[in-house]
């Protein structure tokens, strides 16, 4: 029984780690798209902005590209419409032809989900400082890249849009069981993944993210 219990915990921790690295890889993919891919939308206009949008308490996130560079808002617009059109498949299931900006939707495995989304104006925040404050209470978080700039643009639900350019650090907390991983994304394009065991005392994540 002890072995089986430990194996279950080990498996949850491994899956949480893998999903965190996959999210980091997706962010890097969006960065590469933003730097190197230039596609035309239905009107023939060139689109240079790619990004990833996360939603709190969700196991899904979306890679998107802005369809109208003249009205770019840093969000994945109308991706829910793509879900409805593609439900059950069918001949009309082409997200690129719909009036939405979703390029690809990623679903995390084994009940791993987004526990919290963080946005900070201070790139020097330690993990404990980032998790302790109200900056981890956002409903959605978007990270995008616009050619030819390698730096990230970030937007979050509880940050006024005229302050989005002040966000220099975004945090994605993923949880599988009691195991949490933090994906950090800096405005300069740097991405990292870390475990939260031993770093959540005195934060809202104590008792939730205590597993190694």
């Amino acid at each position: 029984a002890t072995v089986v219990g430990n194996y279950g915990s080990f498996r949850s921790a491994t899956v949480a780690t893998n999903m965190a690295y996959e999210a980091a890889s997706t962010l890097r993919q969006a960065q590469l798209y933003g730097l190197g891919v230039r596609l035309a939308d239905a009107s023939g206009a060139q689109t240079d902005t790619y990004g990833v949008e996360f939603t709190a308490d969700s196991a899904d996130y979306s890679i998107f590209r802005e369809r109208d560079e003249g009205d770019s808002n840093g969000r994945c617009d109308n991706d829910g419409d793509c879900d409805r059109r593609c439900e059950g498949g069918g001949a009309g299931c082409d997200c690129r032809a719909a009036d939405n900006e979703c390029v690809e939707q990623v679903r995390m495995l084994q009940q791993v989900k987004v526990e919290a989304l963080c946005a900070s104006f201070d790139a020097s925040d330690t993990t404990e400082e980032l998790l302790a404050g109200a900056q981890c209470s956002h409903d959605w978080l978007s990270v995008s890249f616009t050619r030819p700039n390698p730096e990230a643009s970030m937007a979050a639900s509880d940050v006024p849009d005229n302050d989005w350019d002040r966000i220099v650090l975004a945090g994605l907390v993923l949880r599988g069981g009691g195991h949490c991983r933090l994906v950090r994304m800096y405005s300069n394009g740097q991405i990292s993944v870390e475990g939260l065991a031993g770093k959540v005392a005195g934060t809202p994540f104590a008792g939730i993210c205590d597993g190694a």
Side-chain angles (χ1 to χ4, degrees), residues 20-21 23-25 27-28 31 54 116-120 122-132 135-136 141 143 145 152 154 167-174 181-196 199:
Y21 278 105
S25 178
L27 286 164
R28 185 66 68 199
Q31 185 181 39
F54 302 93
L117 296 166
C118 314
S120 174
D122 187 352
S124 67
D125 274 352
T126 65
T127 299
E128 291 81 358
E129 290 170 339
L130 180 65
L131 299 179
Q135 59 262 43
C136 288
L141 174 72
V143 180
F145 303 88
M154 303 179 188
I167 302 175
V168 293
L169 170 61
L172 171 67
V173 180
L174 301 183
R181 302 294 181 263
L182 173 66
V183 181
R184 284 174 171 263
M185 180 77 212
Y186 294 87
S187 59
N188 65 5
Q190 179 183 349
I191 305 170
S192 64
V193 175
E194 63 181 281
L196 296 182
K199 301 178 181 179

Side-chain angles (χ1 to χ4, degrees), residues 33-206:
Y33 281 173
L35 289 174
V37 179
R38 185 178 178 89
L39 295 178
D41 63 16
S43 68
Q46 299 297 319
T47 57
D48 297 325
T49 297
Y50 282 81
V52 185
E53 182 164 317
F54 302 93
T55 304
D57 197 32
S58 174
D60 302 295
Y61 54 91
S62 299
I63 304 174
F64 68 92
R65 68 181 175 97
E66 294 280 7
R67 285 188 172 271
D68 184 357
E69 293 297 328
D71 189 28
S72 175
N73 63 359
R75 297 288 312 277
C76 183
D77 295 332
N78 299 323
D79 58 325
D81 181 59
C82 178
D83 291 340
R84 290 191 295 273
R85 283 165 46 84
C86 295
E87 185 174 354
C93 183
D94 184 356
C95 294
R96 293 169 299 176
D99 185 22
N100 69 78
E101 298 179 341
C102 178
V103 173
E104 179 183 350
Q105 290 187 317
V106 180
R107 173 171 286 271
M108 291 180 283
L109 303 176
Q110 299 295 322
Q111 299 182 325
V112 176
K113 68 173 185 175
V114 176
E115 179 67 25
L117 296 166
C118 314
S120 174
F121 298 156
D122 187 352
S124 67
D125 274 352
T126 65
T127 299
E128 291 81 358
E129 290 170 339
L130 180 65
L131 299 179
Q135 59 262 43
C136 288
S137 60
H138 302 285
D139 293 328
W140 58 263
L141 174 72
S142 174
V143 180
S144 60
F145 303 88
T146 302
R147 175 177 170 152
N149 188 358
E151 296 191 349
S153 297
M154 303 179 188
S157 61
D158 293 340
V159 177
D161 55 6
N162 59 341
D163 281 335
W164 285 352
D165 60 353
R166 296 179 57 202
I167 302 175
V168 293
L169 170 61
L172 171 67
V173 180
L174 301 183
R175 179 170 70 89
H179 308 278
C180 295
R181 302 294 181 263
L182 173 66
V183 181
R184 284 174 171 263
M185 180 77 212
Y186 294 87
S187 59
N188 65 5
Q190 179 183 349
I191 305 170
S192 64
V193 175
E194 63 181 281
L196 296 182
K199 301 178 181 179
V200 296
T203 77
F205 300 94

